[in-house]
Amino acid sequence: MSIEPPATQHRFPTTITAICTAAAPAGVGIVRLSGPHAVHVAQRLFRPFSGLILGEEPRRVLVGAVLGRHGEEIDQGLAWIFRCPNSFTGEDVAEISAHGSVMVLEALVRAALDYGAVLAEPGEFTRRAFLNGKMDLVQAEAVADLINAAGQFSLDQAYGLLKGQLSSRIRSIGQHISKVLAQVGALLDFPDDVVLAAPALRPTLGSAIEQCSALTGTFSTYLRRKEGAGVAIIGPPNVGKSSIFNLLLSESRAIVSPLPGTTRDLIEARLYLGGQICRLIDTAGIRSADDPVELEGVERALSAFEQADLVLLVLDISHPWEPGFEALLARAKPDRCLLVLNKADLPSHLSLPENLLFHTVRLSALTGEGLAQVLEFLRCRQVLSQERPEIGVTRQRHLQSLMRVQHHLGLADTQLQQEIPLAECVAEDLRLALNEIDLLLGAKFSEEALNIIFSEFCIGK
Ligand SMILES: Nc1nc2c(ncn2[C@@H]2O[C@H](COP(=O)(O)OP(=O)(O)O)[C@@H](O)[C@H]2O)c(=O)[nH]1
Ligand SMILES: [Mg+2]
């Protein structure tokens, strides 16, 4: 067996290893090695059936025996290697794919440790990829976001970030700032010229500020969409709101009772609709109440009504129309509201006013009749509201950083508007803004900052 000479351009002396698939029985499982001795260690963990030597030909998949710590065969599988710098981490990488048996995979890792590898820290493969210049910090974070994505929208955002779409927008802001800084720098020794140049500098600076605020503005939308659209179930007491809540969730989450005024707090649950999530919110029945606790419940219901992305406005079809309903319907926005006429299993006594602009569905929370139409409405509206997701800010770190950039740019712009702008002050603020962008993308970083970022990764990524 050939012993690989360690590659010279490696930045890290250690070779790390970890199981990089989930630690649970599965069809296949993969152990990854990265570092100067990755290939050498992998050669001792895997014997190709063909007699070829693992690593002689990079990226070639070999079939063979998976070996334990004493060289004994413990499974059969596949192995391949990537040579530095053309790998995920930028180092020599070896991957051994065995059956997804926790026993086999753990035995492989134990053997790798015997041969001198060390156990990878959470996120250490990605951290090395970042430190070896394979991706910037925003892209490295996107790896964790993609793995943890719990809905189509989060997934689209994470993948956009991973492809560098946010990074390039941040870089474009940086380029605008650098351009202004270069011009201001040239004027540092000529204060009179700054007065003349200021009007010409402001549009480029303004464009950077605009790009920044366009990005920070995407964060609240992201938060809302990540959690899913808020769908509030609103209506008078006893019309079956909690029953509909339970029906949609297929579980008995909220208390259902013939006594009006049972639900008081907002009850929230995640509802999965195909690839999308929404936050379903059950609310207290809206009526004028004397009991202070119920009154508070009504206040909360009204505020949920106000904030919801979509509303299921429920009335009881077996009860006649009441004058108070008009005020309730007047609060709803017809394009974001479905009027649900519940208890359709009972005789109808409800006659709706003419010219109602709402989509209407007859539902029985008791029998499930009409449920498909309610789900269809939620799905369609969700899809509409999630069309063409714009790549934007999805992390607090990015938001805070861009807000600081915006702050410094704002100060520079204010200075440029002075009668006699001080070029030093403008230059200093622009430098601070650029520094912030470097920290954001990871062109500059501290170990502590990296520790925080990578601690949220799983082991093996
Ligand atoms: N017949 C019939 N009764 C229902 C239906 N939905 C709810 N109810 C009953 O109406 C009462 C009030 O239901 P609940 O879900 O607590 O209403 P909420 O106050 O609007 O949350 C309970 O006795 C339910 O069993 C339905 O579709 N058909
Ligand atoms: Mg209720």
Side-chain angles (χ1 to χ4, degrees), residues 273-341:
L273 293 166
Q276 304 170 34
I277 313 171
C278 65
R279 287 179 296 118
L280 194 62
I281 306 157
D282 186 21
T283 65
I286 294 174
R287 64 168 174 184
S288 44
D290 298 327
D291 176 39
V293 180
E294 192 183 347
L295 201 62
E296 174 62 27
V298 172
E299 289 293 324
R300 290 180 186 202
L302 289 172
S303 125
F305 195 176
E306 195 66 39
Q307 288 168 18
D309 297 292
L310 296 172
V311 170
L312 299 180
L313 191 54
V314 187
L315 294 178
D316 179 346
I317 206 168
S318 70
H319 267 70
W321 176 265
E322 289 179 26
F325 294 172
E326 250 152 59
L328 197 62
L329 265 66
R331 283 174 175 265
K333 301 185 180 79
D335 58 330
R336 295 200 284 121
C337 179
L338 179 68
L339 185 59
V340 180
L341 307 178

Side-chain angles (χ1 to χ4, degrees), residues 400-420:
Q400 299 302 332
S401 193
L402 284 168
M403 281 169 51
R404 284 193 289 271
V405 173
Q406 220 172 315
H407 169 74
H408 294 308
L409 297 184
L411 290 179
D413 192 45
T414 309
Q415 187 58 241
L416 280 178
Q417 292 175 61
Q418 304 296 314
E419 215 170 306
I420 305 178

Side-chain angles (χ1 to χ4, degrees), residues 45 47 64-77 96 98-99 101-111:
L45 302 175
R47 185 164 50 236
V66 173
L67 311 177
R69 62 203 302 193
H70 306 296
E72 76 284 15
E73 291 191 13
I74 54 172
D75 193 11
Q76 296 182 348
I96 300 173
H99 289 104
S101 146
V102 179
M103 292 295 290
V104 168
L105 300 173
E106 284 185 348
L108 265 176
V109 168
R110 264 199 309 275

Side-chain angles (χ1 to χ4, degrees), residues 169-405:
R169 289 183 68 176
I170 296 168
R171 251 179 233 115
S172 154
I173 297 171
Q175 282 157 3
H176 279 75
I177 303 172
S178 299
K179 205 163 143 189
V180 182
L181 182 60
Q183 286 166 302
V184 173
L187 300 172
L188 275 178
D189 297 327
F190 311 100
D192 294 347
D193 292 356
V194 181
V195 180
L196 296 173
L201 296 173
R202 288 195 60 218
T204 314
L205 188 57
S207 161
I209 294 173
E210 236 167 66
Q211 289 180 48
C212 233
S213 84
L215 276 182
T216 52
T218 58
F219 188 66
S220 58
T221 317
Y222 169 74
L223 277 191
R224 238 179 334 118
R225 289 194 176 175
K226 184 179 92 161
E227 298 300 324
V231 181
I233 307 177
I234 303 284
N238 233 20
V239 294
K241 299 179 298 301
S242 297
S243 306
I244 295 171
F245 183 76
N246 291 341
L247 176 71
L248 286 169
L249 295 172
S250 315
E251 61 173 310
S252 179
R253 271 293 303 276
I255 299 174
V256 168
S257 143
L259 297 173
T262 313
T263 311
R264 297 183 161 194
D265 239 332
L266 299 180
I267 307 179
E268 198 174 306
R270 274 189 165 188
L271 173 65
Y272 291 88
L273 293 166
Q276 304 170 34
I277 313 171
C278 65
R279 287 179 296 118
L280 194 62
I281 306 157
D282 186 21
T283 65
I286 294 174
R287 64 168 174 184
S288 44
D290 298 327
D291 176 39
V293 180
E294 192 183 347
L295 201 62
E296 174 62 27
V298 172
E299 289 293 324
R300 290 180 186 202
L302 289 172
S303 125
F305 195 176
E306 195 66 39
Q307 288 168 18
D309 297 292
L310 296 172
V311 170
L312 299 180
L313 191 54
V314 187
L315 294 178
D316 179 346
I317 206 168
S318 70
H319 267 70
W321 176 265
E322 289 179 26
F325 294 172
E326 250 152 59
L328 197 62
L329 265 66
R331 283 174 175 265
K333 301 185 180 79
D335 58 330
R336 295 200 284 121
C337 179
L338 179 68
L339 185 59
V340 180
L341 307 178
N342 190 39
K343 308 198 188 182
D345 53 288
L346 299 178
S348 169
H349 294 291
L350 181 71
S351 48
L352 294 172
E354 305 256 310
N355 305 327
L356 274 187
L357 294 169
F358 297 96
H359 288 279
T360 307
V361 166
R362 290 163 60 96
L363 175 76
S364 168
L366 201 65
T367 66
E369 174 200 337
L371 174 65
Q373 283 130 286
V374 176
L375 289 173
E376 187 55 29
F377 170 85
L378 293 178
R379 249 181 239 125
C380 289
R381 291 305 153 114
Q382 285 256 90
V383 168
L384 279 183
S385 67
Q386 299 201 349
E387 262 178 357
R388 290 171 48 223
E390 185 199 355
I391 292 305
V393 176
T394 55
R395 281 181 169 248
Q396 274 293 344
R397 188 183 81 86
H398 305 170
L399 178 71
Q400 299 302 332
S401 193
L402 284 168
M403 281 169 51
R404 284 193 289 271
V405 173

